[in-house]
Every structure is written in C-alpha cells, then in structure tokens.
C-alpha cells in the first residue's frame, strides 16, 4: 500500500505483493480452523470464520467509502480539484493503520501458539503425527482401565499440544464478542443504506 500511495514505483509491483497477501492469508487462517477443531466441527468452524470475515468486510468497506467521500464532499466546492488529488489519502491512512494493528495481532497469536499450544499451528507433518500418536497412546491407557492421575495429566497435556483441550467452565464471552460485531455491522449497513431516505437525497 505504501508503494501504491506514496511512491512512483510501477503499480504492478504493489499489486503483486498485495495479491500474495490475499492468497496466503485466508489459506493460513482456514488451515488453523481445521487444526484447532474436531473433525466433525471443522465445517461449522469454517462457516463461522466466513461469517466473521463478512462482518469485517461489511463494516470496513462502508467505512472506507465514507472516508473517501468525506474527503471530496467537504462543503467547499472551490477546492474540488485539490480534493480529488487527496481523495485516497484518508483511505490509505486507514488501511495502513489496520495493517499495523493486524501485524500486532498476528504477533500475539504467534506467541499464544508458542506458549499455549507448544507451536501446534507451526508444526510440520512429522511433529503433528507424533503428537497425535501420543494422544492415541493415552487413550489406550485409559481404555485399559489404567486411569490414574498421572495418565490423566499426560492425556490433558497431549490434548493441549494439539489444541483440543476443552474449557473447564462455560463462557459466553466469545459468543458475545461475535454477536456484538454482528450487530454493529448490521447497524452500519442500514445506517448508510438508508441514508438517501433520511437525508432526503431522493
């Protein structure tokens, strides 16, 4: 985005770099969904991910368009030509700010993966197979009626290493967070969709 907005480099360079981000980003997120959820819930998890992605797309797309229009429709018709030259400045600042925030969040997720899941999301095929075999071995011990405190702790640790540990207490914090942003996206959508009506544009 910096190459596209603030340099004279050929736009193709910035677009190619941007296309790599669009191609690799969703793949890694969807892959982590299937790694963290049981097989029978993977489809539901990916559907929830798609819903969350659409919530963000709805809110951000409308906000970007509003900022772009706000730059041009500033109430002064004498500087329209100047405004056209700066029409995308606010949009680029917004995108750069979101990119910086996304980078920080990615770093936090990486640290959480290292600390909580022992690098499960970054593990290669051999390491994943080793951890899954460890879970199966603990399951066999439990099935053989050898459920001791040590075996249970080993099973819990093994499940934690493949991201399959269940919460001990129910929480509605994540559901509330999801529903909050769902409601916000609908409010933003209808606010701007109905703007021509309550602003008497038509």
């Amino acid at each position: 985005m910096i190459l596209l907005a603030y340099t004279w480099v050929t736009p193709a360079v910035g677009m190619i770099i941007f296309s790599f981000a669009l191609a690799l980003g969703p793949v890694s997120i969807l892959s982590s969904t299937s790694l963290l959820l049981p097989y029978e819930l993977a489809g539901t998890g990916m559907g929830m991910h798609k819903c969350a992605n659409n919530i963000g797309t709805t809110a951000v797309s409308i906000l970007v368009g509003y900022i772009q229009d706000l730059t041009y429709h500033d109430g002064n018709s004498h500087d329209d030509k100047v405004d056209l030259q700066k029409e995308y400045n606010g949009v680029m600042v917004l995108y750069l700010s979101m990119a910086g925030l996304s980078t920080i969040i990615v770093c936090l997720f990486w640290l959480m993966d290292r600390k909580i899941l022992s690098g499960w999301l970054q593990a290669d095929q051999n390491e994943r197979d080793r951890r899954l075999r460890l879970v199966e071995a603990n399951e066999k011990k439990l099935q053989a009626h050898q459920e001791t405190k040590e075996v249970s702790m080993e099973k819990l640790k093994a499940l934690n290493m493949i991201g399959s540990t269940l919460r001990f207490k129910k929480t509605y914090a994540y559901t509330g967070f999801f529903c909050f942003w769902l409601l916000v996206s609908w409010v933003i959508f209808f606010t701007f969709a109905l703007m021509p009506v309550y602003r008497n544009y038509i």
Side-chain angles (χ1 to χ4, degrees):
M1 288 184 290
I2 294 176
L3 293 176
L4 292 172
Y6 303 110
T7 70
W8 293 99
V9 177
T10 304
V13 177
M15 294 302 296
I16 290 173
I17 296 175
F18 189 60
S19 66
F20 276 112
L22 289 178
L24 299 177
V27 172
S28 60
I29 295 175
L30 286 174
S31 300
S32 64
T33 302
S34 60
L35 285 173
L36 292 173
L37 292 175
Y39 178 77
E40 60 271 14
L41 295 177
T44 303
M46 290 183 182
M48 294 294 292
H49 164 261
K50 189 65 176 180
C51 290
N53 187 66
N54 289 337
I55 289 172
T57 301
T58 300
V60 172
S61 297
I62 295 175
L63 182 61
V64 166
Y66 178 72
I67 292 175
Q68 181 178 344
D69 290 341
L70 196 63
T71 304
Y72 184 74
H73 301 289
D74 58 358
N76 185 4
S77 59
H78 298 290
D79 63 349
D80 284 352
K81 291 184 178 180
V82 176
D83 288 343
L84 283 174
Q85 296 174 356
K86 300 179 180 179
E87 189 175 11
Y88 287 97
N89 285 0
V91 174
M92 296 308 297
V93 170
L94 175 64
Y95 274 132
L96 288 173
S97 301
M98 293 176 61
L101 180 61
S102 298
T103 303
I104 295 174
I105 293 174
V106 166
C107 292
L108 290 176
F109 282 164
W110 180 80
L111 287 174
M112 291 173 65
D113 176 50
R114 298 284 295 180
K115 295 292 184 180
I116 300 175
L117 302 179
S118 302
W120 170 244
L121 298 180
Q122 306 296 326
D124 56 20
Q125 185 65 44
N126 293 332
E127 176 63 16
R128 291 174 187 169
D129 290 340
R130 185 189 71 81
R131 297 188 187 188
L132 290 172
R133 286 195 298 269
L134 187 60
V135 173
E136 292 176 356
N138 282 279
E139 285 287 348
K140 290 180 180 179
K141 288 182 181 179
L142 291 176
Q143 291 175 0
H145 305 288
Q146 298 178 15
E147 185 173 358
T148 62
K149 183 177 180 180
E150 291 76 13
V151 173
S152 298
M153 290 300 295
E154 287 180 9
K155 179 185 177 182
L156 186 63
K157 183 178 179 181
L159 287 173
N160 187 63
M161 292 178 67
I162 62 171
S164 296
T165 305
L166 297 177
R167 297 183 64 88
F168 293 105
K169 295 182 179 179
K170 289 183 178 180
T171 177
Y172 296 97
Y174 303 107
T175 303
F177 183 81
F178 181 88
C179 292
F180 170 77
W181 285 110
L182 177 63
L183 180 62
V184 168
S185 67
W186 277 107
V187 169
I188 292 174
F189 174 77
F190 282 111
T191 298
F192 286 91
L194 299 176
M195 183 179 289
V197 177
Y198 63 80
R199 289 287 185 91
N200 295 321
Y201 291 160
I202 55 176

